Amino acid sequence: MDAHSKKVAGYGLAAVAFICVWVVLCWPWLSGAVTIPFDAKAHFQAQIQFLARALHSGQSPFWTHNVFGGSPQVADPQSLIFSPAILLALLSPAPSFRAVDTYVLAHLLAGGLALMMLFRDRDWHPAGGLLAAIVFAFGASAAWRVQHVGQIASLAFFAIALWLTLRMLQRGSLAAGALAGLAAGLMMVEPDQVALLGAYILIGAVVAHWLSGGWPSLRASLLPGALAAVVGLGVVALPLLWTWLFAEATTRPAVDLVEAGRGSLHPASLLTAFVADLFGAQDPKVDFWGPYSPSWDAKELFLSQNMGQVYFGALPALLLMVPGLSRGWLWDKGIRSLTILFALMVLFALGRYTPAFAAFYHYLPGVNAFRRPADATFLIGALGAVLAGYVLHRLFTEPRLGLTKFDLLWGGGLVAALGAAALLLSAEQGRLAEAVKPVALAMVWFAAALALLYGLRHLRAGLGPLAAAALVTAVVAADLGVNNGPNESTALAPDLYDVLRPDTRNETVQVLKRLTAQPAGSPRRDRVELLGMGFEWPNAGMVHGFDHTLGYNPLRLADFSDAVGTRDSIAGPDQRKFTPLFPSYRCRLANLLGLRYIASPLPIEQVDHALRDGDLRLIARTREGYVYENPRALPRVQFVGGWEMADFDAMKQSGRWPEVDPLQTVLLEVEPPVATAEGPAQTRADVTVLRYENTEVEVEVTSSVGGFVVLNDIYHPWWRARVDGVETEILKANVLFRAVQVPAGMHRVRFSFHPIEGAIAELRERVSPAPVEEGEDLLPLPPLKDEPLVADGGTLLPSLLAGPSQQVRDSLRLGAPTPSASREMVSSALAH
């Protein structure tokens, strides 16, 4: 067998070994004994279940009625529509917890295999590729933050894109360029900060290749690079446009430098790269005492305890120090650029603790749109895996090289110094007793790593390279399995999330599903409110098909949020925020929403102090709490004869409604298309809902007089309406909802969601405001400012589309009059 064949066979064996390690370390989840908790269930499990239910019922998943009065799923970067999750949704109408967990963990398998291909392309030793794959999949944030499903996907596609990008540069391959663009596009299509930083690393790798190879390298990569850019832009252009427009209409605040700095990685957390459980994040018997706990900077740093864990193994960390740094191997030409990028990721993660972050924030596009520099720990783990694997490659391919006694002393001294620093820090915090055990265990792992490296040359000579590689693999896998294995941040009992199973027998869910069921054609589609039933409850409607007034998502339409009072989640009753327009469950807006049932773990009077006896009726008592009925809730679809003009913004601020009967008068902010006299009109009409689906609502109405079909779903500009097949205008009605004017007689009204057409029209309006009319008042211009845009739960969308063109801004500054009907739109566009 020639050298090439041996190398191929070696990588085949290494790939099999990695898959075996993946199965063993992931088995607690693959077996169903535990499940990935928190966001992976409360948010992403519900998203995948909604996607599966939509596809298997023949519906579009682009809009959901199940949360926040309606939301554009196609524009939500956490909807998973544009991710491989759609394949899982296609396979099963009800993906199980185990299936979704396997889907998430499979990303880490794919990313690890991609790094092995990177090593193979560069003719590096299979043992190094195997080490890199294991550390990538089970080190640092890949292990500790696996519940952040979107970021795990971004990390996996980053590894794939890095491999293909380096292959493109190495070979000048058009095919590799196209695939690199596809992988980078999939990394960015549902944007988060991991994707943004991954994009910068890919750019850095390309620039480094050009600088090191000069004009010939640049020329050879121009065509493949251009193809990669075209393919990548083709993948991301429309989804990013949708996300940007959605973000502009949401409640997500801008992230200033101070706010972003609160998501920094505390320098003390870097010690967890050497002492895995220094602060008690894994041990339930120890109260977490590290940064982000009450004894540290809890008022200044807003991170969960698992976000500061960066352990990626004693042996990989030691390889970076000895001989990586001690002999300068990390500065080899073939790896130097990744070493620099690794150092920059560490610098970025530290955020406010170095002056560099202010420069990143102000001068790197997109950075000022994110609130958590610590997300760079994902990339620290990925790049650290490649660097450690490269150093191991050097040890395996240069037979006369091995650790000397000087290396041993140097490495041992450095590890001892880090252990001493950990003990001094714990003593300063008064937690020395808790730190002794994890520091002692860390010293054991590092001692084993030192011994293994020192004896590696003799092991290779005596046992052979294959046995030596197997021993290294076993040590690293055991280390990461013990120190980064299942814990309360990453693995909990599946039954804790039973309410998110489509076939749950949960008593409260069964009661609500029974109460909200309606006969075919009914104009009713009652909403419910899950008032602080627990962290896993807010998105349960997406699983079970009922409509919840609230939900769990950092992105929700500001119009609805301002009126109804939504927050990111409603895990506890204390998180219910009442507003002037929704001051109590007995209010007009609750009735218009069709909010008929409220489930609460507490008596409702303890939450809504404005309620009087008889306002709500207690109709069920379940194991989880109380179920109340609002008997005044209105149908989802109404026919109203009269109309009246109203100032919706003023109403939201004051909470005062005009003295009109919502059964006789619909409130509008513009005049209807067909001029009719303002005022109430009492009329009777037959209303039948022929179809009510995610993106299609069809209504048949028969009335002796003209009037308005009112659909009590949230108004959104991407919806269109047709009356008897003729397109007509959707009017914003009663502050939040939709209305269509119809003449007397029998008519069929069809509402449909058109995200492409709607987004293009909205973008056109932002860039080119409607023509002005003579005599209109001038619009006072707000000062220009550079504010970031929002996108993913915990994440934000880079300002790739920066609002109106400078020409439009200049023309407005010169005093061009603006029609009053466009004032709100123009003012909003200028503000961004």
Side-chain angles (χ1 to χ4, degrees):
M1 184 181 291
D2 60 23
H4 176 72
S5 298
K6 289 182 179 179
K7 183 76 71 174
V8 172
Y11 265 98
L13 289 173
V16 170
F18 173 55
I19 293 170
C20 291
V21 170
W22 179 83
V23 170
V24 171
L25 295 187
C26 292
W27 187 248
W29 295 275
L30 300 179
S31 67
V34 296
T35 194
I36 303 173
F38 305 120
D39 281 13
K41 290 295 167 289
H43 186 69
F44 290 104
Q45 180 77 32
Q47 297 285 351
I48 292 179
Q49 179 55 50
F50 172 81
L51 185 58
R53 185 162 51 87
L55 296 176
H56 284 269
S57 62
Q59 298 187 55
S60 165
F62 286 179
W63 180 274
T64 179
H65 301 283
N66 301 138
V67 291
F68 300 122
S71 185
Q73 287 286 98
V74 73
D76 187 343
Q78 297 184 101
S79 68
L80 304 179
I81 290 174
F82 301 106
S83 76
I86 197 165
L87 300 177
L88 179 60
L90 284 168
L91 288 173
S92 171
S96 66
F97 292 177
R98 183 163 60 176
V100 174
D101 290 350
T102 302
Y103 158 79
V104 175
L105 296 170
H107 282 83
L108 300 177
L109 176 65
L113 291 172
L115 291 189
M116 296 187 73
M117 290 300 296
L118 185 157
F119 273 64
R120 184 178 182 274
D121 282 354
R122 294 183 164 245
D123 205 27
W124 292 344
H125 197 280
L130 177 56
L131 176 71
I134 294 172
V135 174
F136 170 85
F138 302 104
S141 289
W144 280 91
R145 298 174 63 182
V146 71
Q147 65 271 37
H148 297 152
V149 173
Q151 292 181 308
I152 291 292
S154 294
L155 181 68
F157 281 113
F158 161 73
I160 297 169
L162 180 64
W163 158 50
L164 292 167
T165 299
L166 294 180
R167 170 176 280 201
M168 173 192 75
L169 296 173
Q170 182 181 3
R171 303 182 180 183
S173 167
L174 289 175
L179 292 173
L182 176 62
L186 291 172
M187 177 183 73
M188 292 290 296
V189 74
E190 294 188 320
D192 54 49
Q193 186 161 214
V194 173
L196 177 70
L197 295 176
Y200 276 120
I201 291 173
L202 296 178
I203 294 170
V206 172
V207 172
H209 177 77
W210 290 345
L211 292 175
S212 64
W215 169 244
S217 296
L218 174 60
R219 182 177 57 190
S221 63
L222 278 179
L223 191 56
L227 181 59
V230 170
V231 172
L233 286 173
V235 172
V236 304
L238 194 54
L240 285 187
L241 172 62
W242 281 325
T243 299
W244 175 65
L245 293 173
F246 178 38
E248 283 278 80
T250 66
T251 59
R252 191 73 174 193
V255 180
D256 59 24
L257 182 60
V258 173
E259 179 64 23
R262 291 190 173 118
S264 301
L265 184 74
H266 194 286
S269 291
L270 293 178
L271 287 171
T272 65
F274 309 97
V275 182
D277 198 28
L278 175 60
F279 302 117
Q282 189 180 46
D283 190 346
K285 299 177 183 177
V286 176
D287 291 333
F288 179 75
W289 59 272
Y292 338 116
S293 67
S295 62
W296 285 66
D297 297 326
K299 296 182 179 179
E300 295 297 325
L301 294 178
F302 300 149
L303 291 180
S304 301
Q305 64 187 47
N306 64 315
M307 292 181 180
Q309 297 295 117
V310 291
Y311 187 75
F312 56 92
L315 180 62
L318 187 61
L319 284 168
L320 296 187
M321 296 184 292
V322 180
L325 285 175
S326 65
R327 296 192 183 182
W329 290 0
L330 293 179
W331 204 246
D332 289 353
K333 184 178 179 180
I335 203 70
R336 184 183 306 159
S337 60
L338 296 185
T339 300
I340 295 171
L341 291 167
F342 175 81
L344 288 173
M345 287 299 104
V346 174
L347 200 62
F348 186 96
L350 292 174
R352 61 186 283 181
Y353 294 102
T354 78
F357 184 68
F360 293 143
Y361 178 89
H362 290 298
Y363 298 113
L364 280 183
V367 169
N368 65 351
F370 292 90
R371 64 181 181 181
R372 204 161 50 216
D375 285 347
T377 52
F378 282 96
L379 287 312
I380 290 171
L383 293 176
V386 177
L387 297 177
Y390 173 78
V391 175
L392 187 64
H393 146 73
R394 286 287 308 267
L395 286 173
F396 265 85
T397 53
E398 300 187 36
R400 294 187 178 181
L401 286 177
L403 291 192
T404 65
K405 291 182 179 179
F406 173 79
D407 290 322
L408 189 65
L409 291 173
W410 199 89
L414 187 57
V415 169
L418 290 168
L423 291 174
L424 287 173
L425 179 70
S426 61
E428 182 181 306
Q429 295 291 318
R431 307 300 289 265
L432 182 60
E434 289 92 336
V436 168
K437 179 181 176 181
V439 171
L441 290 174
M443 294 302 105
V444 171
W445 284 109
F446 272 98
L450 273 170
L452 179 59
L453 290 183
Y454 184 70
L456 187 59
R457 182 171 58 182
H458 302 293
L459 288 170
R460 288 175 53 214
L463 300 177
L466 183 61
L471 183 59
V472 170
T473 300
V475 169
V476 174
D479 181 1
L480 294 176
V482 170
N483 290 302
N484 283 357
N487 58 73
E488 59 184 356
S489 293
T490 62
L492 294 178
D495 286 347
L496 293 174
Y497 297 96
D498 177 68
V499 69
L500 296 173
R501 291 184 171 117
D503 59 351
T504 182
R505 302 310 300 170
N506 179 274
E507 187 179 2
T508 302
V509 170
Q510 295 300 314
V511 167
L512 292 174
K513 291 173 76 170
R514 184 176 68 252
L515 290 171
T516 54
Q518 294 292 334
S522 171
R524 301 198 69 91
R525 185 180 167 97
D526 297 321
R527 285 191 169 93
V528 306
E529 184 161 314
L530 304 171
L531 177 59
M533 299 289 289
F535 180 78
E536 67 275 17
W537 279 80
N539 283 348
M542 300 183 75
V543 175
H544 301 293
F546 54 73
D547 295 348
H548 184 199
T549 51
L550 307 179
Y552 176 30
N553 200 323
L555 289 182
R556 58 238 182 250
L557 293 168
D559 218 16
F560 186 85
S561 187
D562 293 344
V564 179
T566 67
R567 296 185 176 182
D568 283 8
S569 185
I570 180 69
D574 59 319
Q575 292 178 304
R576 185 49 167 111
K577 174 188 174 185
F578 293 105
T579 69
L581 207 62
F582 197 113
S584 167
Y585 288 111
R586 174 153 191 173
C587 69
R588 183 177 298 185
L589 185 53
N591 298 341
L592 289 168
L593 279 166
L595 176 53
R596 192 175 185 90
Y597 304 107
I598 300 107
S600 171
L602 302 175
I604 196 70
E605 297 83 5
Q606 296 182 22
V607 181
D608 184 353
H609 303 291
L611 287 175
R612 301 187 301 271
D613 289 344
D615 285 347
L616 301 179
R617 293 200 298 253
L618 178 63
I619 58 173
R621 180 75 169 89
T622 69
R623 284 188 294 270
E624 291 78 30
Y626 308 82
V627 179
Y628 297 90
E629 181 184 19
N630 170 23
R632 293 165 296 279
L634 295 172
R636 183 66 58 92
V637 185
Q638 303 171 254
F639 182 84
V640 178
W643 69 279
E644 183 175 309
M645 291 283 283
D647 184 338
F648 293 164
D649 286 337
M651 290 171 61
K652 284 192 289 187
Q653 292 177 10
S654 68
R656 291 193 294 270
W657 292 79
E659 294 296 327
V660 298
D661 183 349
L663 299 178
Q664 300 182 27
T665 307
V666 61
L667 301 177
L668 305 175
E669 59 180 359
V670 297
E671 293 186 2
V674 178
T676 59
E678 284 190 73
Q682 189 170 6
T683 182
R684 294 181 61 84
D686 292 327
V687 178
T688 303
V689 175
L690 302 176
R691 181 168 52 164
Y692 192 100
E693 297 180 350
N694 294 335
T695 59
E696 302 278 344
V697 179
E698 195 166 0
V699 179
E700 186 175 85
V701 59
T702 303
S703 174
S704 58
V705 298
F708 302 85
V709 172
V710 180
L711 174 61
N712 288 320
D713 284 333
I714 191 168
Y715 176 88
H716 193 276
W718 301 350
W719 280 86
R720 300 289 184 264
R722 289 181 175 271
V723 176
D724 301 327
V726 178
E727 187 165 354
T728 189
E729 181 182 2
I730 298 180
L731 304 168
K732 192 174 185 181
N734 295 333
V735 182
L736 293 178
F737 307 112
R738 310 175 207 158
V740 168
Q741 191 175 23
V742 296
M746 177 184 290
H747 301 283
R748 185 166 291 191
V749 181
R750 180 174 175 264
F751 296 87
S752 55
F753 186 59
H754 296 266
I756 297 178
E757 177 187 340
I760 292 173
E762 188 176 351
L763 182 64
R764 187 182 297 119
E765 287 181 357
R766 289 171 180 270
V767 174
S768 302
V772 300
E773 298 178 9
E774 187 176 355
E776 290 286 349
D777 295 334
L778 297 182
L779 172 67
L781 298 180
L784 293 176
K785 53 185 178 180
D786 183 17
E787 292 185 354
L789 308 176
V790 186
D792 174 50
T795 62
L796 305 170
L797 176 67
S799 304
L800 300 177
L801 302 168
S805 67
Q806 188 62 43
Q807 182 180 1
V808 173
R809 293 172 182 259
D810 290 343
S811 67
L812 289 171
R813 240 189 228 103
L814 292 173
T818 307
S820 57
S822 300
R823 291 180 183 180
E824 182 179 351
M825 181 275 296
V826 175
S827 178
S828 174
L830 284 173
H832 294 283

